[in-house]
């Protein structure tokens, strides 16, 4: 690990705006730029008004398609956002009386998005009158043309970034398209789909036509938004909070309940982060290892027996995914050792390829390398055609990975066949013969970034007063959530005296720390034997930690979850 710099988050607004909260809580919110008490009220009525460009056209087209019994096909994407968006479209449009089907491209056969081949497949499979994309399509110019050549109308719903003109579809709904003045650019694909369907439903309701009760589908919106690591601005926090509450109260899709049961999680205890770390990976595993149909069918299931069978399948695929990912990461680390890269002489970017790596998990491995070495990372795997390789890129704060790939593509057009994505994550396809050249040019481009970006920084909320290390503080923090991307869960730092230490199973470190006033608190860190350099001879530790609840034998106590330790 490179030396981590510990810094305190700056105050972005004033803590004085929250006089009713304990001072530590007011500071946490001010460090996240919360401007007013209003932003803590996560009622659905405060959702942004539906001013999305293209929304009215899309509503009119779908409304007519339902009334005229036209056949609609949804073209989804093979991740959790795509799966939840697809399920949401199918459920809500069916409830409104539509004749609707779905198609998710097999990532290994067709790649990403509405390609001309997918347009052909949709036509051959369903002969639809209307094709609607979810979580993809903003770059699919050729695919849209091909669909229209089969006499289909096309509506694109997407949230990915684009600097180009939009395809000439009948309607395009994407807060990130040029000329859209919708104030939040952070909607996930499922959030865009929700806005479209909710407004379609109310449009139909006002005319006395069949509509849908959209609130019942907020569990899907919350899951897709969080699993896609969308920024939790005020609007997304409202959506995630509403969906999370439905899951906690068991008012969710039976497939979500089944997945939680198999993962051994109590719905009532669920946190927003579990959407990303418990449910998300199991849904994603379908698209990574097999076909996303399994994930979508699990979300669509209405009877428990079918839902459980599919949830077990997803759980097994996730275990398989974790094994392959672990093996690939080890191979990548060995490869780096061969290059004799140490922490002080790392290249500006880590770009790796192996003929035998699995396309479905390259994104996760890239993410793990980025975390461990604090470098933008791209991991490639062979494509079936034997000519191309597909890469998944993950980036560090301050380096916009999609824009960097675009720059390479513009300056060296022969190097990049396809790319798309966001600031922190992107995908691309290149020719295998160009790997070394791409690697060199991409790494040189990244190397032009400012040096301090390559210094890993752990941001904290400062020291928590010792008397606040108690359960009521954990509850206060929980109630201010949901926490997530761009609205991070509070992290504190402090110097503590160590009273006792134990290594559990040789890998987990447990400490008992003095809090002064004769009281003590337990602190735990999992799988840190090779990360924490703990010296029991030194009585003091400097910790970066999260406050947590420890539930054991019916007792609940406060504990620190250690993220970083220095002595």
């Amino acid at each position: 690990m490179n030396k981590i710099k510990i810094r305190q988050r700056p105050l972005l607004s004033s803590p004085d705006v929250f006089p009713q909260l304990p001072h530590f809580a007011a500071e946490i919110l001010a460090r996240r730029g919360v401007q007013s008490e209003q932003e803590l009220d996560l009622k659905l009525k405060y959702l942004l008004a539906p001013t999305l460009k293209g929304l009215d056209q899309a509503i009119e087209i779908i409304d007519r398609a339902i009334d005229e019994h036209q056949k609609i096909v949804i073209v989804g994407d093979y991740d959790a956002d795509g799966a939840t968006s697809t399920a949401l479209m199918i459920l809500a449009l069916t409830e409104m009386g539509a004749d609707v089907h779905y198609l998710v491209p097999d990532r290994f056969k067709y790649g990403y998005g509405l390609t001309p081949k997918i347009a052909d497949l949709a036509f051959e499979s369903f002969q639809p009158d209307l094709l609607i994309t979810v979580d993809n399509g903003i770059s699919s110019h050729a695919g849209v043309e091909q669909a229209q050549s089969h006499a289909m109308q096309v509506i694109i719903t997407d949230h990915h970034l684009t600097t180009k003109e939009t395809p000439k579809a009948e309607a395009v709904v994407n807060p990130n398209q040029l000329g859209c003045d919708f104030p939040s650019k952070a909607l996930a694909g499922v959030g865009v789909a929700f806005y479209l369907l909710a407004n379609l439903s109310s449009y139909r309701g006002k005319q006395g036509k069949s509509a849908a009760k959209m609130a019942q589908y907020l569990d899907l919106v919350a899951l897709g938004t969080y699993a896609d690591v969308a920024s939790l601005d005020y609007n997304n926090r409202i959506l995630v909070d509403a969906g999370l509450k439905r899951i906690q109260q068991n008012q969710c899709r039976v497939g979500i309940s089944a997945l939680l049961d198999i993962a051994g999680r109590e719905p009532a205890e669920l946190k927003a982060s579990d959407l990303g770390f418990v449910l998300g990976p199991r849904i994603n595993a379908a698209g990574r290892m097999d076909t996303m149909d399994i994930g979508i069918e699990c979300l669509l299931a209405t009877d428990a027996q079918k839902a459980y069978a599919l949830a077990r399948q997803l759980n097994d695929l996730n275990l398989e995914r974790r094994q392959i990912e672990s093996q690939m990461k080890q191979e990548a680390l060995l490869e780096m050792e061969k290059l004799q890269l140490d922490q002080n002489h790392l290249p500006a970017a880590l770009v790796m390829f192996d003929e035998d790596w699995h396309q479905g998990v390259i994104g996760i491995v890239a993410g793990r390398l980025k975390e461990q070495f604090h470098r933008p990372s791209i991991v490639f795997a062979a494509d079936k055609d034997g000519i191309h390789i597909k890469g998944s890129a993950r980036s560090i704060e301050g380096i916009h990975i999609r824009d960097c790939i675009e720059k390479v593509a513009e300056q060296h057009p022969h190097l990049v066949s396809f790319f798309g994505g966001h600031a922190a994550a992107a995908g691309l396809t290149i020719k295998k013969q160009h790997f070394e050249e791409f690697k060199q040019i991409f790494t040189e481009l990244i190397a032009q970034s400012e040096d301090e970006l390559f210094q890993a920084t752990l941001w904290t909320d400062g020291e928590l007063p010792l008397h606040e290390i108690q359960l009521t503080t954990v509850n206060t923090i929980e109630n201010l959530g949901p926490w997530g991307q761009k609205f991070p869960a509070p992290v504190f730092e402090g110097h503590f005296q160590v009273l006792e230490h134990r290594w559990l199973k040789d890998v987990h470190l447990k400490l008992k720390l003095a809090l002064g006033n004769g009281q003590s608190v337990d602190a735990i860190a999992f799988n840190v034997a090779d990360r924490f350099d703990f010296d029991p001879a030194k009585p003091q530790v400097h910790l970066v930690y999260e406050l947590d609840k420890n539930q054991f034998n019916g007792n609940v106590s406060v504990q620190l979850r250690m993220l970083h330790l220095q002595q």
Side-chain angles (χ1 to χ4, degrees):
M1 285 300 298
N2 43 346
K3 191 89 172 115
I4 288 181
K5 199 175 184 179
I6 297 169
R7 292 181 61 185
Q8 201 168 323
R9 293 182 186 282
L11 291 168
L12 303 176
S13 56
S14 169
D16 302 341
V17 180
F18 312 103
Q20 83 291 7
L21 288 175
H23 185 66
F24 77 85
E27 282 213 333
I28 286 168
L29 294 172
R31 291 184 201 284
R32 282 149 190 77
V34 181
Q35 304 277 353
S36 64
E37 289 189 0
Q38 159 72 60
E39 283 180 66
L40 303 180
D41 192 348
L42 302 181
K43 291 191 183 75
L44 285 166
K45 67 178 180 185
Y46 295 126
L47 278 176
L48 287 167
T51 57
L52 287 146
K53 181 181 176 183
L55 194 69
D56 293 344
Q57 294 95 305
I59 285 171
E60 282 172 24
I61 294 167
I62 302 172
D63 177 57
R64 193 180 318 120
I66 296 171
D67 291 350
E68 294 177 4
H69 308 291
Q70 293 179 9
K71 191 175 277 189
I72 303 171
V73 67
I74 309 297
V75 174
D77 183 22
Y78 41 66
D79 64 1
D81 188 15
T84 50
S85 307
T86 304
L88 179 67
M89 279 277 182
I90 297 288
L91 290 163
L93 290 176
T94 301
E95 197 183 342
M96 292 183 221
D99 175 9
V100 60
H101 310 265
Y102 75 88
L103 186 63
V104 177
D106 177 329
R107 77 192 297 158
F108 309 112
K109 209 191 249 174
Y110 294 104
Y112 168 82
L114 175 61
T115 59
K117 277 186 186 167
I118 290 297
D120 292 341
L121 185 63
F123 179 68
E124 288 156 20
S125 309
F126 303 106
Q127 280 88 48
D129 304 287
L130 172 61
L131 183 151
I132 305 173
T133 71
V134 286
D135 190 30
N136 75 89
I138 199 63
S139 306
S140 303
H141 295 264
V144 168
E145 278 177 26
Q146 186 71 354
Q148 289 165 335
S149 76
H150 290 302
M152 293 177 225
Q153 289 190 293
V154 180
I155 295 173
I156 288 170
T157 75
D158 199 354
H159 69 124
H160 290 90
L161 303 178
T162 175
T163 54
K164 306 280 190 283
E165 268 188 50
T166 50
K168 292 183 169 41
E170 274 66 23
V172 178
V173 188
N174 177 348
N176 288 302
Q177 69 177 304
L178 301 175
C180 181
D181 57 9
F182 184 72
S184 171
K185 305 301 177 189
L187 282 177
V190 72
V192 177
F194 180 77
Y195 261 85
L196 172 55
L197 292 161
N199 289 287
L200 170 66
S201 180
S202 86
Y203 176 82
R204 288 178 63 80
K206 281 173 191 156
Q207 298 177 57
K209 299 177 185 175
S210 53
K213 293 188 179 70
M214 290 303 298
Q216 66 181 315
Y217 303 126
L218 283 161
D219 54 344
L220 294 171
V221 181
L223 172 53
T225 300
Y226 204 100
D228 211 50
V229 203
S231 295
L232 293 194
D233 62 2
Y234 182 37
N235 209 54
N236 273 345
R237 290 206 321 278
I238 293 172
L239 290 171
V240 169
D241 188 62
L244 182 64
K245 287 195 164 86
R246 291 191 73 86
I247 300 172
Q248 288 166 339
Q249 293 155 8
N250 264 320
Q251 297 177 326
C252 59
R253 302 297 308 162
V254 61
I256 290 177
S257 298
L259 281 168
L260 286 174
D261 195 24
I262 286 167
R265 295 301 178 106
E266 274 300 318
E269 300 291 323
L270 206 67
K271 291 185 181 138
S273 56
D274 295 323
L275 300 172
F277 298 105
V278 177
L279 292 169
R282 286 170 169 82
I283 300 280
N284 273 328
R288 293 186 190 287
M289 307 305 298
D290 197 326
T291 161
M292 191 35 104
D293 294 33
I294 305 165
I296 293 166
E297 288 301 323
C298 182
L299 295 173
L300 291 175
T302 48
D303 70 287
Q305 200 177 352
K306 185 178 179 191
Y308 266 88
L310 290 161
R312 276 193 206 96
Q313 217 176 327
L314 290 173
N315 199 56
D316 292 345
L317 285 170
N318 193 44
L319 290 170
E320 185 190 340
R321 185 270 305 167
R322 275 159 59 180
Q323 282 174 318
I324 290 174
E325 173 209 324
S326 169
Q327 185 187 338
M328 276 172 60
K329 189 187 165 196
Q330 288 315 113
E331 288 169 7
L333 293 176
L334 278 172
E335 203 53 44
M336 286 173 70
E337 269 177 39
K338 275 189 219 158
L339 300 170
Q340 296 184 310
L341 296 175
D342 69 30
Q343 205 57 60
N344 303 318
H345 299 95
L346 280 174
L350 303 177
V351 183
M352 314 194 81
F353 163 61
D354 189 297
E355 199 68 55
D356 299 322
W357 284 350
H358 191 297
Q359 251 188 57
V361 297
I362 50 178
I364 299 178
V365 175
R368 299 277 190 260
L369 292 173
K370 182 265 296 188
E371 291 296 323
Q372 189 163 339
F373 297 102
H374 197 71
R375 291 288 185 273
S377 300
I378 308 183
V379 177
F380 285 93
D383 197 3
K384 280 211 167 119
D385 67 6
I387 297 164
H388 293 89
I389 56 177
K390 287 188 174 163
S392 202
R394 297 291 181 272
S395 195
I396 56 178
E397 192 73 35
I399 294 180
H400 194 304
I401 198 93
R402 183 205 165 277
D403 287 2
C404 291
I405 295 167
E406 183 170 41
K407 210 172 267 183
V408 174
E410 282 171 353
Q411 290 168 6
H412 309 271
H414 68 287
L415 282 186
V416 182
S417 309
F418 171 85
F419 71 94
H422 302 283
L428 70 159
T429 302
I430 69 173
K431 286 192 171 154
K432 194 196 303 187
Q433 69 191 65
H434 294 149
F435 172 72
E436 288 300 336
E437 189 187 351
F438 172 85
K439 176 179 176 174
Q440 182 192 339
I441 286 166
F442 180 79
T443 307
E444 283 168 4
L445 174 68
I446 298 291
Q448 294 165 18
S449 308
E450 293 165 28
D451 283 352
E452 61 259 32
L453 292 175
F454 300 108
Q455 163 73 60
T457 303
L458 195 45
W459 293 95
T460 80
D461 289 282
E463 295 208 15
L464 184 66
L466 293 179
H467 68 270
E468 297 286 12
I469 296 181
Q470 52 174 311
L471 279 175
T472 53
T473 301
V474 183
N475 294 332
T476 300
I477 289 170
E478 266 178 24
N479 291 336
L480 293 173
W483 306 98
Q485 181 72 359
K486 296 280 195 283
F487 196 77
V491 167
F492 305 101
E493 62 177 297
H495 295 266
F496 297 93
Q497 187 190 344
V498 180
L499 300 175
E500 293 173 22
H501 84 278
R502 269 194 303 157
W503 282 100
L504 310 174
K505 298 182 181 168
D506 294 332
V507 290
H508 315 308
L509 180 62
K510 189 168 189 185
L511 303 179
K512 183 175 245 184
L513 308 170
L515 287 181
N517 63 23
Q519 292 189 305
S520 64
V521 67
D522 286 341
I524 186 100
F526 297 102
N527 300 307
V528 289
D530 56 348
R531 282 204 300 123
F532 282 10
D533 193 8
F534 175 68
D535 181 353
K538 294 180 180 171
Q540 287 269 340
V541 283
H542 180 197
L543 296 180
V544 176
Y545 66 90
E546 288 179 325
L547 268 197
D548 206 1
K549 280 181 190 168
N550 181 27
Q551 306 192 359
F552 186 68
N553 285 345
N555 292 328
V556 183
S557 58
V558 68
Q559 72 175 3
L560 313 188
R561 209 163 63 74
M562 298 182 279
L563 305 175
H564 184 70
L565 175 149
Q566 289 177 354
Q567 282 176 300

